[in-house]
Amino acid sequence: MEIHTDVVIVGCGVAGLYSALKLPRDLKIVMITKSDAESSDSFLAQGGICVQRDEDDYDGYFEDTMRAGHYENRKESVDIMIRGSRTVIEDLVEYGVRFEKENGEFTYTREGAHSRPRILFHEDITGKEITSTLLERVRELPNVAFYEYVSMTDIIEEDGVCTGILAEDVRDVWQDVDEKDLRNAAKKECVRKQYRIYAENTILATGGIGGKYQHSTNYPHLTGDGVEIAKNHGIRLENLDYVQIHPTTLYSKKPGRRFLISESVRGEGAVLYNEKKERFVDELLPRDVVTKAIHRQMEEEGTDHVWLSLEPIPREKILKHFPNIYQHCLEEGYDVLKEWIPVVPAQHYFMGGIWVDSDSRTSMASLYAVGETSCNGVHGANRLASNSLLESLVFARRAAQKIISDRDNMKGEQ
């Protein structure tokens, strides 16, 4: 199947969806996703989304982000993200996202390495609230064609310019074919529909690399496809070794994705204990520091997990702020209102990826990358908690704005 469109977006997490929403309605857009539309890591984000609370918060927010990233962050990108945060939040509210409020004002929570509460949230399913809302708005757009269970297999490159993508349906279709033998009997053969999607601009929003790990909070189908394809075309990559391990996922011997215990739980007062029932780390230090401390305890004690206690958090707050975590732990046999839960670090986020500039452009013309598959330098060597949703949205918006400005300039020249 050959398709011609103005923009093709690969991936339907918050970055891909927001890009589509910020593009003009007179542009034809094709969106593809490797699984169903609800199986993106954006749906899994629990803690919340950061925002600059006021002008006095800029310096503190900037320093918190830089310190968590070991000062390897791209300062220009950090500045862009922080200054663009309020506009993004206003957009989300207009689209219908419901953030926690008290007396008509936003309620802020705090997570590790933040010097003050500046995180907006919806219970403990903020990612689901934001992503499902954006998905609803995108599905309402008449200019967007949506293809689920379609996986990008390559980009189309012509004279150093990206002119679209190659893709295939990942669902097996079985058809009858003639067996070339004496009986001429029919047999079943698996075929997959192939796509050549030509576009003026291509946006890669293919997510992270968790599917390559045995223990990860990511969906298993997120295997770094965009990065691998970019590498094959000589497109610039950056910081591929910068992988974040989240300190607290619910320990389980079951195979598959690990359930995240949000950092905002520790931000609200939860504490970590070793096998001797001793606290061994400041729970609000950056993620990489807490992770190292947990691994050290496990190694010294010969255990495969440590313990997290929610005892310092009032019962009412647990049930209101963390109902999903409470319910999931209960289903796994742990009542967080009465007992500690076993936790272990697991792969969580990819800070490296396809290098992009401040407008989310890659080193190949007409090719953009947004979200976790891109590397704009915001996170440095270690992501500050709850910066991922914000960073994805801010730079997805900038990709859309750049596509619009380039089109307007081209029209002006004509």
Side-chain angles (χ1 to χ4, degrees), residues 48-127:
I49 180 171
C50 293
V51 63
Q52 180 185 350
R53 291 187 58 164
D54 47 45
E55 285 301 317
D56 293 338
D57 188 36
Y58 177 86
D59 289 342
Y61 188 3
F62 189 94
E63 173 61 21
D64 289 349
T65 300
M66 294 294 295
R67 183 171 61 249
H70 298 277
Y71 299 97
E72 294 187 31
N73 323 57
R74 208 183 302 171
K75 292 181 179 180
E76 176 193 13
S77 295
V78 177
D79 175 74
I80 288 170
M81 181 190 70
I82 294 174
R83 296 190 187 281
S85 61
R86 274 290 161 188
T87 300
V88 162
I89 297 303
E90 290 166 4
D91 263 358
L92 294 179
V93 172
E94 187 174 331
Y95 288 135
V97 174
R98 301 162 297 166
F99 292 116
E100 187 74 18
K101 289 186 176 182
E102 188 171 333
N103 300 321
E105 299 293 327
F106 285 136
T107 300
Y108 298 90
T109 189
R110 182 185 176 192
E111 296 186 16
H114 284 272
S115 55
R116 66 180 292 193
R118 61 168 68 89
I119 299 166
L120 297 176
F121 62 96
H122 177 85
E123 297 179 347
D124 54 352
I125 51 169
T126 309

Coordinates of all heavy atoms in Angstrom, one line a residue, residues 48-127:
G48 N 3.4 12.5 37.9 CA 2.8 13.8 37.5 C 3.7 14.5 36.5 O 4.5 13.8 35.8
I49 N 3.4 15.7 36.3 CA 4.1 16.6 35.3 C 4.6 17.9 36.0 O 3.8 18.5 36.7 CB 3.2 16.9 34.1 CG1 3.9 17.7 33.1 CG2 1.9 17.5 34.6 CD1 3.1 17.9 31.8
C50 N 5.8 18.2 35.8 CA 6.4 19.4 36.4 C 5.9 20.6 35.8 O 5.5 20.6 34.6 CB 7.9 19.3 36.3 SG 8.7 18.0 37.3
V51 N 6.0 21.7 36.5 CA 5.6 23.0 35.9 C 6.3 24.1 36.8 O 6.5 23.9 38.0 CB 4.1 23.3 35.9 CG1 3.5 23.3 37.4 CG2 3.7 24.6 35.2
Q52 N 6.8 25.2 36.1 CA 7.3 26.3 36.9 C 6.2 27.0 37.6 O 5.2 27.5 37.0 CB 8.0 27.3 35.9 CG 8.6 28.5 36.6 CD 9.1 29.5 35.6 OE1 9.2 29.2 34.4 NE2 9.5 30.7 36.1
R53 N 6.2 27.0 38.9 CA 5.1 27.5 39.7 C 4.9 29.0 39.6 O 3.8 29.5 39.5 CB 5.2 27.1 41.2 CG 5.1 25.6 41.4 CD 5.1 25.3 42.9 NE 4.0 25.9 43.6 CZ 3.6 25.6 44.8 NH1 4.2 24.5 45.4 NH2 2.7 26.2 45.5
D54 N 6.0 29.7 39.6 CA 6.0 31.2 39.5 C 7.3 31.6 39.1 O 8.3 30.8 38.9 CB 5.5 31.8 40.8 CG 6.3 31.2 42.0 OD1 7.5 31.1 41.9 OD2 5.6 30.9 43.0
E55 N 7.5 32.9 38.9 CA 8.8 33.5 38.5 C 9.9 33.2 39.5 O 11.1 32.9 39.1 CB 8.7 35.0 38.3 CG 8.0 35.4 37.0 CD 8.6 34.8 35.7 OE1 9.9 34.9 35.7 OE2 7.9 34.3 34.9
D56 N 9.6 33.1 40.7 CA 10.6 32.8 41.8 C 11.0 31.4 41.7 O 12.1 31.1 42.3 CB 10.0 33.1 43.2 CG 9.7 34.6 43.4 OD1 10.4 35.4 42.7 OD2 8.9 35.0 44.2
D57 N 10.3 30.5 41.0 CA 10.6 29.1 41.0 C 11.6 28.8 39.9 O 12.2 27.7 39.9 CB 9.4 28.3 40.8 CG 9.6 26.8 40.9 OD1 10.4 26.4 41.8 OD2 9.0 26.0 40.2
Y58 N 11.9 29.7 39.0 CA 12.7 29.4 37.8 C 14.1 28.9 38.2 O 14.6 27.8 37.7 CB 12.9 30.6 36.9 CG 13.8 30.3 35.7 CD1 13.3 29.7 34.5 CD2 15.2 30.6 35.8 CE1 14.2 29.5 33.5 CE2 16.0 30.3 34.7 CZ 15.5 29.7 33.6 OH 16.4 29.4 32.5
D59 N 14.8 29.7 39.0 CA 16.2 29.3 39.4 C 16.3 28.0 40.1 O 17.1 27.1 39.8 CB 16.8 30.4 40.3 CG 17.1 31.7 39.5 OD1 17.1 31.6 38.3 OD2 17.2 32.7 40.2
G60 N 15.3 27.7 41.0 CA 15.3 26.5 41.7 C 15.0 25.3 40.8 O 15.7 24.2 40.9
Y61 N 14.1 25.4 39.9 CA 13.7 24.4 39.0 C 14.9 24.1 38.0 O 15.2 22.9 37.8 CB 12.5 24.8 38.2 CG 11.8 23.7 37.4 CD1 12.3 22.4 37.3 CD2 10.7 24.0 36.6 CE1 11.7 21.5 36.5 CE2 10.1 23.1 35.8 CZ 10.7 21.8 35.7 OH 10.1 20.9 34.9
F62 N 15.5 25.2 37.5 CA 16.6 25.0 36.6 C 17.8 24.2 37.3 O 18.3 23.3 36.8 CB 17.1 26.4 36.2 CG 18.2 26.3 35.1 CD1 17.8 26.4 33.7 CD2 19.5 26.2 35.4 CE1 18.7 26.4 32.7 CE2 20.5 26.1 34.4 CZ 20.1 26.2 33.0
E63 N 18.1 24.6 38.6 CA 19.2 24.0 39.3 C 18.9 22.6 39.7 O 19.7 21.7 39.6 CB 19.5 24.8 40.6 CG 20.5 24.2 41.5 CD 21.9 24.0 40.9 OE1 22.2 24.7 39.9 OE2 22.6 23.1 41.4
D64 N 17.6 22.3 40.0 CA 17.2 20.9 40.4 C 17.4 20.0 39.2 O 17.9 18.9 39.3 CB 15.8 20.9 40.8 CG 15.5 21.5 42.2 OD1 16.5 21.8 42.9 OD2 14.4 21.7 42.5
T65 N 17.0 20.5 38.0 CA 17.1 19.7 36.7 C 18.6 19.5 36.4 O 19.0 18.4 36.0 CB 16.4 20.4 35.6 OG1 15.0 20.6 35.9 CG2 16.5 19.6 34.3
M66 N 19.4 20.5 36.5 CA 20.8 20.4 36.2 C 21.5 19.5 37.2 O 22.4 18.6 36.8 CB 21.5 21.8 36.2 CG 21.0 22.7 35.2 SD 21.4 22.2 33.5 CE 23.2 22.3 33.6
R67 N 21.2 19.6 38.5 CA 21.9 18.8 39.5 C 21.6 17.3 39.3 O 22.4 16.5 39.4 CB 21.5 19.3 40.9 CG 22.3 18.5 42.0 CD 22.1 19.2 43.4 NE 20.7 19.2 43.8 CZ 19.9 20.2 43.8 NH1 20.4 21.4 43.6 NH2 18.6 20.1 44.2
A68 N 20.3 17.0 39.1 CA 19.9 15.6 38.8 C 20.6 15.1 37.6 O 21.0 13.9 37.6 CB 18.4 15.6 38.7
G69 N 20.8 15.9 36.6 CA 21.5 15.4 35.4 C 23.0 15.5 35.4 O 23.6 15.4 34.3
H70 N 23.5 15.7 36.6 CA 25.0 15.8 36.8 C 25.6 16.9 35.9 O 26.7 16.8 35.5 CB 25.6 14.4 36.5 CG 25.2 13.3 37.4 ND1 25.7 13.1 38.7 CD2 24.2 12.4 37.3 CE1 25.1 12.1 39.3 NE2 24.2 11.7 38.4
Y71 N 24.8 17.9 35.7 CA 25.3 19.1 35.0 C 25.8 18.8 33.5 O 26.5 19.5 32.9 CB 26.4 19.9 35.7 CG 25.9 20.4 37.1 CD1 26.1 19.6 38.2 CD2 25.1 21.5 37.2 CE1 25.6 20.0 39.5 CE2 24.6 22.0 38.4 CZ 24.8 21.2 39.5 OH 24.3 21.6 40.7
E72 N 25.3 17.7 33.0 CA 25.6 17.3 31.6 C 24.4 17.7 30.7 O 24.4 17.4 29.5 CB 25.9 15.8 31.5 CG 27.2 15.4 32.2 CD 27.5 14.0 32.0 OE1 27.2 13.5 30.8 OE2 28.1 13.4 32.8
N73 N 23.4 18.4 31.3 CA 22.3 18.9 30.5 C 22.7 20.0 29.5 O 23.6 20.7 29.7 CB 21.2 19.4 31.4 CG 21.1 18.7 32.8 OD1 22.1 18.6 33.5 ND2 19.9 18.2 33.0
R74 N 21.9 20.1 28.5 CA 22.0 21.2 27.5 C 21.2 22.4 28.1 O 20.0 22.3 28.2 CB 21.5 20.8 26.2 CG 22.1 21.5 25.0 CD 21.5 21.1 23.7 NE 21.6 19.7 23.4 CZ 20.9 19.1 22.4 NH1 20.1 19.9 21.6 NH2 21.0 17.8 22.2
K75 N 21.9 23.4 28.6 CA 21.2 24.5 29.3 C 20.1 25.2 28.5 O 19.1 25.5 29.0 CB 22.2 25.5 29.7 CG 23.2 25.0 30.8 CD 24.2 26.1 31.2 CE 25.2 25.6 32.3 NZ 26.1 26.7 32.7
E76 N 20.3 25.4 27.2 CA 19.3 26.0 26.4 C 18.0 25.2 26.4 O 16.9 25.7 26.5 CB 19.8 26.1 24.9 CG 18.8 26.7 24.0 CD 19.2 26.5 22.5 OE1 20.1 25.8 22.2 OE2 18.5 27.2 21.7
S77 N 18.1 23.9 26.3 CA 17.0 23.0 26.3 C 16.2 23.1 27.7 O 15.0 23.1 27.7 CB 17.3 21.6 26.0 OG 17.9 21.5 24.7
V78 N 17.0 23.1 28.7 CA 16.4 23.2 30.1 C 15.6 24.5 30.2 O 14.4 24.5 30.7 CB 17.4 23.1 31.2 CG1 16.8 23.2 32.6 CG2 18.2 21.7 31.1
D79 N 16.2 25.5 29.7 CA 15.5 26.8 29.8 C 14.2 26.8 28.9 O 13.2 27.3 29.4 CB 16.4 27.9 29.2 CG 15.8 29.3 29.1 OD1 15.6 29.9 30.2 OD2 15.5 29.7 28.0
I80 N 14.3 26.3 27.7 CA 13.1 26.2 26.9 C 12.0 25.4 27.6 O 10.8 25.8 27.5 CB 13.5 25.5 25.5 CG1 14.3 26.5 24.7 CG2 12.2 25.1 24.8 CD1 14.9 25.9 23.5
M81 N 12.3 24.2 28.2 CA 11.3 23.4 28.8 C 10.7 24.1 30.0 O 9.4 24.1 30.1 CB 12.0 22.1 29.3 CG 11.0 21.2 30.0 SD 11.8 19.8 30.9 CE 12.6 20.7 32.3
I82 N 11.4 24.8 30.8 CA 10.9 25.4 32.0 C 10.0 26.6 31.6 O 8.8 26.7 32.0 CB 12.0 25.9 32.9 CG1 12.7 24.7 33.5 CG2 11.4 26.8 34.1 CD1 13.9 25.1 34.4
R83 N 10.5 27.4 30.6 CA 9.7 28.6 30.2 C 8.4 28.2 29.4 O 7.5 29.0 29.3 CB 10.6 29.5 29.4 CG 11.7 30.1 30.2 CD 12.4 31.3 29.5 NE 13.6 31.7 30.3 CZ 13.6 32.5 31.3 NH1 12.4 33.0 31.8 NH2 14.7 32.9 31.9
G84 N 8.5 27.0 28.8 CA 7.3 26.5 28.1 C 6.3 25.8 28.9 O 5.2 25.4 28.4
S85 N 6.6 25.6 30.2 CA 5.8 24.6 31.0 C 4.3 25.2 31.2 O 3.4 24.4 31.1 CB 6.4 24.3 32.3 OG 6.6 25.5 33.1
R86 N 4.2 26.4 31.5 CA 2.9 27.0 31.8 C 1.9 26.9 30.6 O 0.7 26.6 30.7 CB 3.0 28.4 32.3 CG 3.2 28.5 33.8 CD 2.0 28.1 34.5 NE 2.3 27.8 35.9 CZ 1.5 27.3 36.8 NH1 0.2 27.0 36.5 NH2 1.8 27.1 38.0
T87 N 2.5 27.2 29.4 CA 1.7 27.1 28.2 C 1.2 25.7 27.9 O 0.0 25.5 27.5 CB 2.5 27.6 27.0 OG1 2.9 28.9 27.2 CG2 1.7 27.5 25.7
V88 N 2.0 24.7 28.2 CA 1.6 23.3 28.0 C 0.5 23.0 29.0 O -0.5 22.3 28.6 CB 2.9 22.4 28.2 CG1 2.4 21.0 28.5 CG2 3.8 22.4 27.0
I89 N 0.7 23.3 30.2 CA -0.4 23.0 31.2 C -1.7 23.7 30.9 O -2.8 23.1 31.0 CB 0.1 23.5 32.6 CG1 1.3 22.7 33.1 CG2 -1.1 23.3 33.6 CD1 1.2 21.2 33.1
E90 N -1.6 24.9 30.4 CA -2.9 25.6 30.0 C -3.5 24.8 28.8 O -4.8 24.7 28.8 CB -2.6 27.0 29.6 CG -2.2 27.9 30.7 CD -1.5 29.2 30.3 OE1 -1.5 29.5 29.1 OE2 -1.1 30.0 31.2
D91 N -2.7 24.4 27.9 CA -3.2 23.6 26.8 C -3.9 22.3 27.2 O -5.0 22.0 26.8 CB -2.1 23.2 25.8 CG -1.9 24.1 24.6 OD1 -2.8 25.0 24.5 OD2 -1.0 23.9 23.8
L92 N -3.2 21.6 28.2 CA -3.8 20.3 28.6 C -5.1 20.5 29.3 O -6.1 19.7 29.1 CB -2.8 19.7 29.6 CG -1.4 19.2 29.0 CD1 -0.6 18.6 30.1 CD2 -1.7 18.2 27.9
V93 N -5.2 21.6 30.1 CA -6.5 21.8 30.8 C -7.6 22.2 29.8 O -8.7 21.7 29.9 CB -6.3 23.0 31.8 CG1 -7.6 23.4 32.4 CG2 -5.3 22.6 33.0
E94 N -7.2 22.9 28.8 CA -8.2 23.2 27.7 C -8.6 22.0 27.0 O -9.8 21.9 26.6 CB -7.6 24.2 26.7 CG -8.5 24.8 25.7 CD -7.9 25.9 24.8 OE1 -7.0 26.6 25.3 OE2 -8.4 26.0 23.7
Y95 N -7.7 21.0 26.8 CA -8.1 19.8 26.1 C -9.0 18.9 27.0 O -9.6 18.0 26.5 CB -6.9 19.0 25.7 CG -6.1 19.6 24.6 CD1 -4.7 19.7 24.6 CD2 -6.8 20.0 23.4 CE1 -4.0 20.2 23.5 CE2 -6.1 20.5 22.4 CZ -4.7 20.6 22.4 OH -4.0 21.2 21.3
G96 N -9.0 19.2 28.3 CA -9.8 18.4 29.2 C -9.1 17.6 30.3 O -9.7 16.8 31.0
V97 N -7.8 17.8 30.4 CA -7.0 17.1 31.5 C -7.4 17.6 32.9 O -7.5 18.8 33.1 CB -5.5 17.2 31.2 CG1 -4.7 16.6 32.4 CG2 -5.1 16.6 29.9
R98 N -7.7 16.7 33.8 CA -8.1 17.1 35.1 C -6.9 16.9 36.1 O -6.6 15.8 36.5 CB -9.3 16.2 35.6 CG -10.5 16.3 34.7 CD -11.4 15.2 34.9 NE -10.8 13.9 34.5 CZ -11.3 12.7 34.9 NH1 -12.4 12.6 35.6 NH2 -10.7 11.6 34.5
F99 N -6.4 18.0 36.6 CA -5.3 17.9 37.6 C -6.0 18.2 39.0 O -7.0 18.8 39.1 CB -4.2 19.0 37.4 CG -3.4 18.8 36.1 CD1 -3.4 19.6 35.1 CD2 -2.6 17.7 36.1 CE1 -2.7 19.4 33.9 CE2 -1.8 17.4 34.9 CZ -1.9 18.3 33.9
E100 N -5.3 17.6 40.0 CA -5.8 17.7 41.4 C -5.9 19.2 41.8 O -4.9 20.0 41.5 CB -4.9 17.0 42.3 CG -5.4 16.9 43.8 CD -6.6 15.9 43.9 OE1 -6.8 15.1 43.0 OE2 -7.3 16.0 44.9
K101 N -7.0 19.6 42.4 CA -7.2 21.0 42.8 C -7.7 21.0 44.2 O -8.4 20.1 44.7 CB -8.1 21.8 41.9 CG -7.5 22.1 40.5 CD -8.4 23.0 39.7 CE -7.8 23.4 38.4 NZ -8.7 24.3 37.6
E102 N -7.5 22.1 44.9 CA -8.1 22.3 46.2 C -8.5 23.8 46.3 O -7.7 24.7 46.1 CB -7.1 22.0 47.3 CG -7.7 22.0 48.7 CD -6.7 21.5 49.8 OE1 -5.9 20.7 49.5 OE2 -6.9 21.9 51.0
N103 N -9.8 24.0 46.6 CA -10.3 25.4 46.6 C -10.1 26.1 45.3 O -9.8 27.3 45.3 CB -9.8 26.2 47.8 CG -10.1 25.5 49.1 OD1 -11.2 25.0 49.3 ND2 -9.1 25.6 50.0
G104 N -10.2 25.3 44.2 CA -10.0 26.0 42.9 C -8.6 26.2 42.4 O -8.4 26.7 41.3
E105 N -7.6 25.9 43.2 CA -6.2 26.1 42.9 C -5.5 24.7 42.7 O -5.8 23.8 43.4 CB -5.5 26.9 44.0 CG -6.1 28.3 44.2 CD -5.9 29.2 43.0 OE1 -4.8 29.1 42.4 OE2 -6.8 30.0 42.8
F106 N -4.5 24.7 41.8 CA -3.7 23.5 41.6 C -3.1 23.0 42.9 O -2.6 23.8 43.7 CB -2.6 23.7 40.6 CG -3.1 23.8 39.2 CD1 -2.6 24.8 38.3 CD2 -4.0 22.9 38.7 CE1 -3.0 24.8 37.0 CE2 -4.5 22.9 37.4 CZ -4.0 23.9 36.5
T107 N -3.1 21.7 43.1 CA -2.4 21.1 44.2 C -1.0 20.5 43.7 O -1.0 19.9 42.6 CB -3.2 19.9 44.8 OG1 -4.4 20.4 45.3 CG2 -2.4 19.2 45.9
Y108 N 0.1 20.8 44.3 CA 1.4 20.4 43.9 C 1.9 19.4 44.8 O 1.8 19.5 46.1 CB 2.4 21.6 43.8 CG 2.0 22.7 42.9 CD1 1.2 23.7 43.3 CD2 2.4 22.6 41.6 CE1 0.8 24.7 42.4 CE2 2.0 23.6 40.7 CZ 1.2 24.7 41.1 OH 0.9 25.7 40.2
T109 N 2.6 18.4 44.3 CA 3.3 17.4 45.1 C 4.8 17.5 44.8 O 5.2 18.2 43.9 CB 2.8 15.9 44.8 OG1 3.3 15.1 45.8 CG2 3.1 15.5 43.4
R110 N 5.6 16.7 45.6 CA 7.0 16.8 45.4 C 7.6 15.4 45.2 O 7.0 14.4 45.7 CB 7.6 17.4 46.7 CG 9.2 17.6 46.7 CD 9.6 18.1 48.1 NE 11.1 18.2 48.1 CZ 11.8 18.3 49.2 NH1 11.2 18.5 50.4 NH2 13.1 18.4 49.2
E111 N 8.7 15.3 44.5 CA 9.4 14.0 44.3 C 10.9 14.2 44.6 O 11.3 15.3 44.8 CB 9.1 13.5 42.9 CG 7.7 13.2 42.6 CD 7.4 12.5 41.3 OE1 8.4 12.0 40.7 OE2 6.3 12.5 40.9
G112 N 11.6 13.1 44.4 CA 13.0 13.2 44.7 C 13.8 14.2 43.9 O 13.6 14.4 42.7
A113 N 14.8 14.9 44.6 CA 15.7 15.9 44.0 C 15.0 17.2 43.6 O 15.6 18.0 43.0 CB 16.4 15.3 42.7
H114 N 13.7 17.3 44.0 CA 13.0 18.6 43.8 C 13.2 19.4 45.1 O 13.0 18.9 46.2 CB 11.6 18.4 43.5 CG 11.3 18.0 42.1 ND1 11.1 18.9 41.0 CD2 11.2 16.8 41.5 CE1 10.9 18.2 39.9 NE2 10.9 16.9 40.2
S115 N 13.5 20.7 45.0 CA 13.7 21.6 46.1 C 12.4 22.1 46.7 O 12.4 22.6 47.8 CB 14.6 22.7 45.8 OG 14.1 23.5 44.7
R116 N 11.3 21.9 45.9 CA 10.0 22.3 46.4 C 8.9 21.6 45.6 O 9.2 21.0 44.6 CB 9.8 23.8 46.3 CG 9.7 24.3 44.8 CD 9.5 25.8 44.7 NE 8.2 26.2 45.1 CZ 7.7 27.4 44.8 NH1 8.5 28.3 44.1 NH2 6.5 27.8 45.3
P117 N 7.7 21.5 46.1 CA 6.6 20.9 45.4 C 6.3 21.7 44.1 O 6.0 22.9 44.2 CB 5.4 20.9 46.4 CG 6.0 21.0 47.7 CD 7.3 21.9 47.5
R118 N 6.4 21.0 42.9 CA 6.0 21.7 41.7 C 5.4 20.8 40.7 O 5.5 21.0 39.5 CB 7.3 22.4 41.1 CG 8.4 21.5 40.7 CD 9.5 22.2 39.9 NE 10.2 23.2 40.6 CZ 11.3 23.0 41.3 NH1 11.8 21.8 41.4 NH2 11.9 24.0 41.9
I119 N 4.9 19.7 41.2 CA 4.4 18.6 40.3 C 2.9 18.5 40.3 O 2.3 18.3 41.4 CB 5.0 17.3 40.6 CG1 6.5 17.3 40.5 CG2 4.4 16.2 39.8 CD1 7.3 16.2 41.1
L120 N 2.2 18.7 39.2 CA 0.8 18.6 39.1 C 0.5 17.1 38.8 O 1.2 16.4 38.2 CB 0.2 19.4 37.9 CG 0.4 20.9 38.1 CD1 -0.1 21.6 36.8 CD2 -0.3 21.4 39.3
F121 N -0.7 16.6 39.3 CA -1.0 15.2 39.2 C -2.5 14.9 39.1 O -3.3 15.8 39.5 CB -0.4 14.4 40.4 CG -0.9 14.9 41.7 CD1 -2.0 14.2 42.3 CD2 -0.4 16.0 42.4 CE1 -2.5 14.6 43.6 CE2 -0.9 16.4 43.6 CZ -2.0 15.7 44.2
H122 N -2.8 13.8 38.7 CA -4.2 13.2 38.8 C -4.1 11.9 39.4 O -3.7 10.9 38.8 CB -4.8 13.1 37.4 CG -6.2 12.5 37.4 ND1 -7.3 13.3 37.6 CD2 -6.6 11.2 37.2 CE1 -8.4 12.5 37.5 NE2 -8.0 11.3 37.3
E123 N -4.5 11.8 40.7 CA -4.3 10.6 41.5 C -2.9 10.1 41.3 O -1.9 10.8 41.4 CB -5.4 9.6 41.1 CG -6.8 10.0 41.4 CD -7.9 9.1 41.0 OE1 -7.5 8.1 40.3 OE2 -9.0 9.2 41.4
D124 N -2.8 8.8 41.0 CA -1.4 8.2 40.7 C -1.4 7.7 39.3 O -0.7 6.7 38.9 CB -1.0 7.2 41.7 CG -2.0 6.1 41.8 OD1 -3.1 6.2 41.3 OD2 -1.8 5.1 42.5
I125 N -2.3 8.3 38.4 CA -2.4 7.9 37.0 C -2.3 9.1 36.1 O -3.1 9.2 35.2 CB -3.6 7.0 36.7 CG1 -4.9 7.7 37.3 CG2 -3.5 5.6 37.3 CD1 -6.2 7.1 36.8
T126 N -1.4 10.0 36.4 CA -1.3 11.2 35.6 C -1.1 11.0 34.1 O -1.7 11.6 33.3 CB -0.2 12.1 36.2 OG1 -0.4 12.3 37.6 CG2 -0.2 13.5 35.6
G127 N -0.2 10.1 33.8 CA 0.1 9.8 32.4 C -1.1 9.3 31.7 O -1.4 9.7 30.5

